Amino acid sequence: MKKLALVIAVAAVAVAGCDSGNDKPAAQAPAPSSNAEVSYAADTNDAGTVARAETSNDALDAEAAKAFLDSAQERLETMSEEVSHASWLASTYINVDSQFTEALAVERYTALAVELAQEAAKFDDVDLDPETRRMLTMLKQGLVFPAPNDPELTAELAQIGSKMQGMYGAGKYCPEQKTKDAEKGKCYTLTEMGQMMANSRDPKLLKDLWVGWRKVSPPMKPLYERQVEIGNAGAKELGYDNLSVMWRSKYDMPADAFAADMDNQWNKVKPLYEALHCHVRARLNEHYGDDVAPATGKIPAHLLGNMWAQEWGNIYDIVKDDDMEAPYDLTQLVVDSGMSEQDMVKVGEKFFTSLGFKPLPETFWERSQFVQPRDRDVVCHASAWNLDGKDDIRIKMCINKTGEDLITVHHELGHNFYQRIYNHQPFLYKEGANDGFHEAVGDTIALSITPKYLKEIGLMEEIPGADKDLGYLMQQALDKIAFLPFGLLVDKWRWQVFNGEVPPGDYNKAWWKLREEYQGIQAPVARSEANFDPGAKYHIPGNTPYARYFLARIQQFQFHRALCEAAGETGPLHRCSIFKNDAAGKKLRNMLAMGASKPWPDAMEALTGQRELDASAIVDYFEPLMVYLQEQNKGRDCGW
Ligand code: X8Z
Ligand code: ZN
């Protein structure tokens, strides 16, 4: 998700109008939990006044911590609502005024959040109950890019954020050559270029668009460099070695253990990726020939149907066997049904309400952005927002009538339904169990968009036979499996940048090293440090951490498996749909309502019975495809 980057960038989620707690004196705060009281009682006898004073100080500190948290949450809640509205404007009307307003709001919010985070650190040595300790820790970790305690740097950081976001959102490319599919003199938005990357099979145009879009980012490089510098200084003031450590510390385990778990999960799914890569490369070679798509080595990044080569579902037609008919073409179904962009969102809403979620509020329909406005620049990258921490939920998209966007609609709605179902939690817990959970909800639902489901909602007439399953799995793998190394490497790059391992002079080189190593792809033209290719991916200028998407790809299959079990489905996982299933709905709703109130393994356990990430679910789901790929790859020289 991108819960508005800037709110993500500064803290939890936007909320408003909490009831009380601000100036509550410590004595009126809720009673501190056991620790302080027990030790007070135990120490009163002969230790006399000293012990009494010490323990009562402890008790006072515990109470002070709670009072502080009450007040901090109320202040953040109020101010985050202000930031949300300013950021919504800046994302839906990109101009100097909206950017100015947003930067000012972010600056104020960041200053407050930093002040409170530093205040929270004063309780580090106080003996506190686990709940209070957890909240204080979350308060310290709430910022994505903390500023140091310096008004000028805080303002500079906020301005850089708004500026880069605006540069990305307003980015366009105007081809210099006329080609079959592109006109000379016309300027294309990223959304339009994305469609052309998906549908064109003209390698010349694909390369031109690939190179052209990346002209948006070199001017961002000095800004990014500075942003990292200031953010690192902010992280240090909060007690972290650097931003890399801070970013990796948000998963209820030590930072290095988190990075190790990511690698561990990757190693489990890597054979699947390597098999897919090998097969796709062979098919591209058959389609384009040696000059454009060599049979060995790394795949040229412009041929995979996506601007970043992160999901490959758009080249299904090139990859499939002649007789590998997919059970459906989702884009065709959307187009044939004649549905509008808003209807696509209604389809998504219906799935959630079938699981017992409350329908979306009227304001959602009034305030969301579904289509790209014709007369102004907006940030088209899909996102889901909760502006007031209650019911002012919205999505912001530039929807195309495609299967890909129907899935993205479900993804975004997953964020909104999650945000709404935990909106009774205190401010600091109005978050996903971790950010991977947030990204996984809508995707989990979308795994239930099976032929059986599509027939049930009237989009398909017949449920195809099992002979179409392989085509379905191939389509799914081209998106889900192809994404995994990309999901992993984006933050590997940022972590190296943050901890200084990669200096600014090597930004682009390090990016391509990771792209080549993990994805086995390569740039279609020579790159240098005059380019800043990471900046051409939304989440870099948008400051949205990316490890969450990798986690979500693993988790969503775990969630899907558990929900299908709850629904009593016994067939293959790829044929299971939980549409209208009460038991599955209840399980999902209960877990989501926890928000971030418990460490994520508790939430995972509530839904799946497991306390850990488990890649076996995704591996099992694709097992029949893996058998097919291994057969196909016999005699091929796989790897890169
Ligand atoms: O950014 C997104 C969502 C919004 S949170 C559309 N995604 C990542 C991306 O587009 O790069 C979803 C999949 C990965
Ligand atoms: Zn998302």
Short mmCIF file of all heavy atoms in Angstrom, two decimals, residues 119-164:
data_model
loop_
_atom_site.label_atom_id
_atom_site.label_comp_id
_atom_site.label_asym_id
_atom_site.label_seq_id
_atom_site.Cartn_x
_atom_site.Cartn_y
_atom_site.Cartn_z
N GLU A 119 11.09 12.25 23.28
CA GLU A 119 10.48 12.21 24.62
C GLU A 119 10.27 10.76 25.07
O GLU A 119 10.53 10.39 26.20
CB GLU A 119 9.13 12.95 24.54
CG GLU A 119 8.50 13.28 25.86
CD GLU A 119 9.05 14.59 26.44
OE1 GLU A 119 9.92 15.23 25.80
OE2 GLU A 119 8.61 14.92 27.52
N ALA A 120 9.81 9.96 24.11
CA ALA A 120 9.55 8.54 24.41
C ALA A 120 10.83 7.85 24.87
O ALA A 120 10.80 6.99 25.76
CB ALA A 120 8.98 7.84 23.18
N ALA A 121 11.95 8.25 24.28
CA ALA A 121 13.22 7.61 24.62
C ALA A 121 13.59 7.84 26.08
O ALA A 121 14.36 7.07 26.67
CB ALA A 121 14.32 8.14 23.70
N LYS A 122 13.03 8.88 26.69
CA LYS A 122 13.35 9.16 28.10
C LYS A 122 12.82 8.07 29.02
O LYS A 122 13.23 7.95 30.17
CB LYS A 122 12.78 10.51 28.51
CG LYS A 122 13.47 11.66 27.79
CD LYS A 122 12.99 13.01 28.29
CE LYS A 122 13.66 14.12 27.50
NZ LYS A 122 12.88 15.34 27.46
N PHE A 123 11.88 7.28 28.52
CA PHE A 123 11.33 6.19 29.34
C PHE A 123 12.07 4.87 29.13
O PHE A 123 11.65 3.84 29.63
CB PHE A 123 9.83 6.00 29.03
CG PHE A 123 8.97 7.17 29.44
CD1 PHE A 123 8.67 8.19 28.55
CD2 PHE A 123 8.48 7.26 30.75
CE1 PHE A 123 7.89 9.27 28.93
CE2 PHE A 123 7.69 8.34 31.14
CZ PHE A 123 7.39 9.35 30.23
N ASP A 124 13.18 4.94 28.39
CA ASP A 124 13.88 3.69 28.05
C ASP A 124 14.26 2.85 29.26
O ASP A 124 14.22 1.63 29.20
CB ASP A 124 15.15 4.01 27.23
CG ASP A 124 14.81 4.25 25.76
OD1 ASP A 124 13.62 4.08 25.39
OD2 ASP A 124 15.72 4.62 24.99
N ASP A 125 14.64 3.52 30.36
CA ASP A 125 15.11 2.75 31.51
C ASP A 125 14.06 2.56 32.59
O ASP A 125 14.35 2.05 33.66
CB ASP A 125 16.34 3.46 32.13
CG ASP A 125 17.48 3.50 31.13
OD1 ASP A 125 17.59 2.52 30.35
OD2 ASP A 125 18.22 4.50 31.10
N VAL A 126 12.85 2.96 32.29
CA VAL A 126 11.79 2.81 33.29
C VAL A 126 11.16 1.43 33.14
O VAL A 126 10.98 0.92 32.04
CB VAL A 126 10.71 3.90 33.09
CG1 VAL A 126 9.60 3.74 34.11
CG2 VAL A 126 11.33 5.28 33.18
N ASP A 127 10.86 0.84 34.30
CA ASP A 127 10.25 -0.48 34.30
C ASP A 127 8.77 -0.33 33.94
O ASP A 127 8.01 0.29 34.68
CB ASP A 127 10.42 -1.08 35.71
CG ASP A 127 10.04 -2.54 35.73
OD1 ASP A 127 9.97 -3.15 34.65
OD2 ASP A 127 9.80 -3.05 36.84
N LEU A 128 8.38 -0.85 32.81
CA LEU A 128 7.01 -0.63 32.33
C LEU A 128 6.34 -1.94 31.95
O LEU A 128 7.02 -2.91 31.61
CB LEU A 128 7.04 0.28 31.09
CG LEU A 128 7.58 1.69 31.29
CD1 LEU A 128 7.80 2.35 29.93
CD2 LEU A 128 6.63 2.53 32.13
N ASP A 129 5.02 -1.92 31.96
CA ASP A 129 4.31 -3.10 31.49
C ASP A 129 4.53 -3.23 29.98
O ASP A 129 4.83 -2.25 29.30
CB ASP A 129 2.81 -2.99 31.82
CG ASP A 129 2.18 -1.83 31.09
OD1 ASP A 129 2.33 -0.68 31.57
OD2 ASP A 129 1.59 -2.06 30.03
N PRO A 130 4.38 -4.45 29.46
CA PRO A 130 4.71 -4.69 28.04
C PRO A 130 3.92 -3.83 27.07
O PRO A 130 4.45 -3.37 26.05
CB PRO A 130 4.35 -6.17 27.83
CG PRO A 130 4.28 -6.77 29.19
CD PRO A 130 3.97 -5.68 30.16
N GLU A 131 2.68 -3.56 27.40
CA GLU A 131 1.84 -2.77 26.49
C GLU A 131 2.36 -1.34 26.35
O GLU A 131 2.49 -0.80 25.26
CB GLU A 131 0.40 -2.79 27.01
CG GLU A 131 -0.52 -1.81 26.37
CD GLU A 131 -1.54 -2.48 25.44
OE1 GLU A 131 -1.42 -3.68 25.20
OE2 GLU A 131 -2.43 -1.77 24.99
N THR A 132 2.69 -0.74 27.50
CA THR A 132 3.21 0.63 27.47
C THR A 132 4.55 0.67 26.75
O THR A 132 4.81 1.56 25.94
CB THR A 132 3.36 1.17 28.91
OG1 THR A 132 2.13 0.95 29.59
CG2 THR A 132 3.70 2.64 28.93
N ARG A 133 5.37 -0.33 27.03
CA ARG A 133 6.68 -0.40 26.37
C ARG A 133 6.52 -0.50 24.86
O ARG A 133 7.19 0.17 24.08
CB ARG A 133 7.45 -1.61 26.93
CG ARG A 133 8.76 -1.93 26.28
CD ARG A 133 9.79 -0.81 26.33
NE ARG A 133 10.14 -0.38 27.66
CZ ARG A 133 10.48 0.88 27.99
NH1 ARG A 133 10.52 1.83 27.07
NH2 ARG A 133 10.79 1.20 29.23
N ARG A 134 5.58 -1.35 24.45
CA ARG A 134 5.34 -1.54 23.02
C ARG A 134 4.90 -0.23 22.34
O ARG A 134 5.38 0.13 21.27
CB ARG A 134 4.28 -2.61 22.85
CG ARG A 134 3.92 -2.94 21.43
CD ARG A 134 3.00 -4.17 21.38
NE ARG A 134 2.35 -4.25 20.08
CZ ARG A 134 2.96 -4.64 18.98
NH1 ARG A 134 4.22 -5.01 19.03
NH2 ARG A 134 2.33 -4.67 17.83
N MET A 135 4.03 0.48 23.03
CA MET A 135 3.56 1.74 22.44
C MET A 135 4.68 2.77 22.33
O MET A 135 4.78 3.49 21.34
CB MET A 135 2.42 2.31 23.28
CG MET A 135 1.09 1.65 22.99
SD MET A 135 -0.24 2.67 23.64
CE MET A 135 -1.59 2.15 22.59
N LEU A 136 5.52 2.83 23.37
CA LEU A 136 6.63 3.79 23.32
C LEU A 136 7.58 3.44 22.17
O LEU A 136 8.07 4.33 21.46
CB LEU A 136 7.39 3.80 24.65
CG LEU A 136 6.64 4.48 25.81
CD1 LEU A 136 7.34 4.17 27.14
CD2 LEU A 136 6.54 5.99 25.61
N THR A 137 7.83 2.16 22.02
CA THR A 137 8.71 1.73 20.92
C THR A 137 8.10 2.11 19.58
O THR A 137 8.78 2.62 18.69
CB THR A 137 8.93 0.20 20.98
OG1 THR A 137 9.43 -0.12 22.27
CG2 THR A 137 9.90 -0.27 19.92
N MET A 138 6.80 1.88 19.46
CA MET A 138 6.15 2.22 18.19
C MET A 138 6.19 3.73 17.93
O MET A 138 6.32 4.17 16.79
CB MET A 138 4.70 1.71 18.19
CG MET A 138 4.66 0.20 18.08
SD MET A 138 3.02 -0.45 18.30
CE MET A 138 2.38 -0.33 16.66
N LEU A 139 6.10 4.47 18.99
CA LEU A 139 6.16 5.92 18.84
C LEU A 139 7.54 6.34 18.31
O LEU A 139 7.67 7.21 17.45
CB LEU A 139 5.89 6.58 20.20
CG LEU A 139 5.69 8.08 20.24
CD1 LEU A 139 4.59 8.51 19.29
CD2 LEU A 139 5.34 8.53 21.66
N LYS A 140 8.57 5.67 18.80
CA LYS A 140 9.92 5.99 18.34
C LYS A 140 10.14 5.57 16.89
O LYS A 140 10.98 6.11 16.18
CB LYS A 140 10.97 5.29 19.23
CG LYS A 140 11.11 5.97 20.59
CD LYS A 140 12.41 5.59 21.25
CE LYS A 140 12.36 4.16 21.76
NZ LYS A 140 13.60 3.76 22.45
N GLN A 141 9.39 4.55 16.48
CA GLN A 141 9.61 4.01 15.13
C GLN A 141 8.59 4.51 14.11
O GLN A 141 8.54 4.03 12.99
CB GLN A 141 9.52 2.47 15.17
CG GLN A 141 10.65 1.84 15.94
CD GLN A 141 10.45 0.36 16.12
OE1 GLN A 141 9.34 -0.14 16.00
NE2 GLN A 141 11.53 -0.34 16.42
N GLY A 142 7.78 5.46 14.51
CA GLY A 142 6.67 5.87 13.66
C GLY A 142 7.07 6.56 12.37
O GLY A 142 6.33 6.56 11.40
N LEU A 143 8.23 7.16 12.36
CA LEU A 143 8.62 7.93 11.18
C LEU A 143 9.35 7.05 10.17
O LEU A 143 10.13 6.19 10.55
CB LEU A 143 9.56 9.05 11.62
CG LEU A 143 8.89 10.10 12.50
CD1 LEU A 143 9.89 10.69 13.47
CD2 LEU A 143 8.29 11.18 11.63
N VAL A 144 9.09 7.31 8.90
CA VAL A 144 9.84 6.60 7.87
C VAL A 144 11.15 7.35 7.59
O VAL A 144 12.21 6.76 7.49
CB VAL A 144 9.02 6.47 6.58
CG1 VAL A 144 9.88 5.96 5.44
CG2 VAL A 144 7.86 5.51 6.81
N PHE A 145 11.05 8.66 7.49
CA PHE A 145 12.24 9.50 7.33
C PHE A 145 12.24 10.54 8.45
O PHE A 145 11.72 11.64 8.27
CB PHE A 145 12.21 10.20 5.96
CG PHE A 145 13.16 9.60 4.98
CD1 PHE A 145 12.93 8.32 4.47
CD2 PHE A 145 14.30 10.28 4.56
CE1 PHE A 145 13.80 7.74 3.56
CE2 PHE A 145 15.19 9.71 3.65
CZ PHE A 145 14.94 8.45 3.14
N PRO A 146 12.83 10.22 9.59
CA PRO A 146 12.82 11.20 10.68
C PRO A 146 13.81 12.33 10.39
O PRO A 146 14.85 12.11 9.78
CB PRO A 146 13.31 10.38 11.88
CG PRO A 146 14.14 9.31 11.29
CD PRO A 146 13.58 9.01 9.93
N ALA A 147 13.43 13.52 10.80
CA ALA A 147 14.38 14.63 10.70
C ALA A 147 15.11 14.73 12.03
O ALA A 147 14.59 14.30 13.05
CB ALA A 147 13.63 15.92 10.43
N PRO A 148 16.31 15.29 12.03
CA PRO A 148 16.91 15.59 13.33
C PRO A 148 16.14 16.74 13.98
O PRO A 148 15.34 17.39 13.32
CB PRO A 148 18.34 16.01 12.97
CG PRO A 148 18.43 16.07 11.50
CD PRO A 148 17.13 15.71 10.90
N ASN A 149 16.43 16.95 15.24
CA ASN A 149 15.71 18.00 15.96
C ASN A 149 16.25 19.37 15.56
O ASN A 149 16.97 20.01 16.31
CB ASN A 149 15.90 17.76 17.46
CG ASN A 149 14.80 18.40 18.24
OD1 ASN A 149 14.07 19.23 17.70
ND2 ASN A 149 14.67 18.02 19.50
N ASP A 150 15.93 19.80 14.37
CA ASP A 150 16.45 21.05 13.82
C ASP A 150 15.41 21.57 12.83
O ASP A 150 15.14 20.93 11.82
CB ASP A 150 17.80 20.75 13.12
CG ASP A 150 18.35 21.95 12.36
OD1 ASP A 150 17.56 22.70 11.75
OD2 ASP A 150 19.58 22.12 12.35
N PRO A 151 14.83 22.74 13.13
CA PRO A 151 13.72 23.23 12.30
C PRO A 151 14.07 23.38 10.82
O PRO A 151 13.27 23.06 9.95
CB PRO A 151 13.39 24.59 12.91
CG PRO A 151 14.02 24.60 14.25
CD PRO A 151 15.14 23.61 14.24
N GLU A 152 15.30 23.83 10.55
CA GLU A 152 15.65 24.02 9.14
C GLU A 152 15.72 22.71 8.39
O GLU A 152 15.25 22.58 7.25
CB GLU A 152 16.98 24.76 9.03
CG GLU A 152 16.76 26.26 9.02
CD GLU A 152 18.05 27.04 8.95
OE1 GLU A 152 19.02 26.53 8.35
OE2 GLU A 152 18.07 28.15 9.51
N LEU A 153 16.34 21.73 9.03
CA LEU A 153 16.46 20.43 8.37
C LEU A 153 15.10 19.76 8.24
O LEU A 153 14.81 19.07 7.26
CB LEU A 153 17.44 19.53 9.14
CG LEU A 153 18.90 20.00 9.12
CD1 LEU A 153 19.78 19.06 9.93
CD2 LEU A 153 19.42 20.10 7.69
N THR A 154 14.25 19.96 9.23
CA THR A 154 12.90 19.40 9.17
C THR A 154 12.15 19.98 7.98
O THR A 154 11.50 19.25 7.22
CB THR A 154 12.13 19.71 10.48
OG1 THR A 154 12.93 19.26 11.58
CG2 THR A 154 10.80 19.00 10.51
N ALA A 155 12.27 21.28 7.79
CA ALA A 155 11.60 21.93 6.66
C ALA A 155 12.20 21.44 5.34
O ALA A 155 11.47 21.12 4.39
CB ALA A 155 11.74 23.45 6.78
N GLU A 156 13.51 21.35 5.30
CA GLU A 156 14.17 20.91 4.06
C GLU A 156 13.72 19.49 3.69
O GLU A 156 13.40 19.20 2.53
CB GLU A 156 15.70 20.97 4.24
CG GLU A 156 16.43 20.73 2.93
CD GLU A 156 17.96 20.76 3.10
OE1 GLU A 156 18.44 21.14 4.20
OE2 GLU A 156 18.65 20.39 2.13
N LEU A 157 13.67 18.64 4.68
CA LEU A 157 13.28 17.24 4.44
C LEU A 157 11.85 17.17 3.88
O LEU A 157 11.56 16.44 2.93
CB LEU A 157 13.38 16.44 5.74
CG LEU A 157 13.22 14.94 5.63
CD1 LEU A 157 14.36 14.32 4.82
CD2 LEU A 157 13.17 14.29 7.01
N ALA A 158 10.98 17.96 4.48
CA ALA A 158 9.58 17.95 4.03
C ALA A 158 9.48 18.46 2.59
O ALA A 158 8.74 17.92 1.77
CB ALA A 158 8.74 18.80 4.97
N GLN A 159 10.25 19.50 2.29
CA GLN A 159 10.18 20.06 0.93
C GLN A 159 10.72 19.08 -0.11
O GLN A 159 10.17 18.93 -1.19
CB GLN A 159 10.96 21.38 0.87
CG GLN A 159 10.16 22.52 1.51
CD GLN A 159 11.06 23.64 2.03
OE1 GLN A 159 12.22 23.74 1.67
NE2 GLN A 159 10.51 24.47 2.90
N ILE A 160 11.79 18.41 0.26
CA ILE A 160 12.36 17.42 -0.67
C ILE A 160 11.33 16.34 -0.98
O ILE A 160 11.12 15.95 -2.13
CB ILE A 160 13.64 16.77 -0.07
CG1 ILE A 160 14.78 17.78 -0.02
CG2 ILE A 160 14.05 15.55 -0.88
CD1 ILE A 160 16.03 17.26 0.69
N GLY A 161 10.66 15.87 0.08
CA GLY A 161 9.66 14.80 -0.10
C GLY A 161 8.56 15.23 -1.07
O GLY A 161 8.23 14.52 -2.02
N SER A 162 8.00 16.41 -0.84
CA SER A 162 6.91 16.87 -1.70
C SER A 162 7.39 17.09 -3.13
O SER A 162 6.69 16.79 -4.09
CB SER A 162 6.34 18.19 -1.17
OG SER A 162 5.76 17.97 0.08
N LYS A 163 8.59 17.60 -3.24
CA LYS A 163 9.11 17.90 -4.57
C LYS A 163 9.33 16.63 -5.39
O LYS A 163 8.91 16.54 -6.55
CB LYS A 163 10.44 18.65 -4.41
CG LYS A 163 10.88 19.32 -5.66
CD LYS A 163 11.88 20.42 -5.39
CE LYS A 163 12.33 20.99 -6.72
NZ LYS A 163 13.50 21.82 -6.59
N MET A 164 9.95 15.65 -4.79
CA MET A 164 10.22 14.42 -5.54
C MET A 164 8.93 13.71 -5.92
O MET A 164 8.79 13.20 -7.03
CB MET A 164 11.11 13.48 -4.72
CG MET A 164 12.56 13.89 -4.76
SD MET A 164 13.67 12.54 -4.38
CE MET A 164 13.21 12.17 -2.73
#
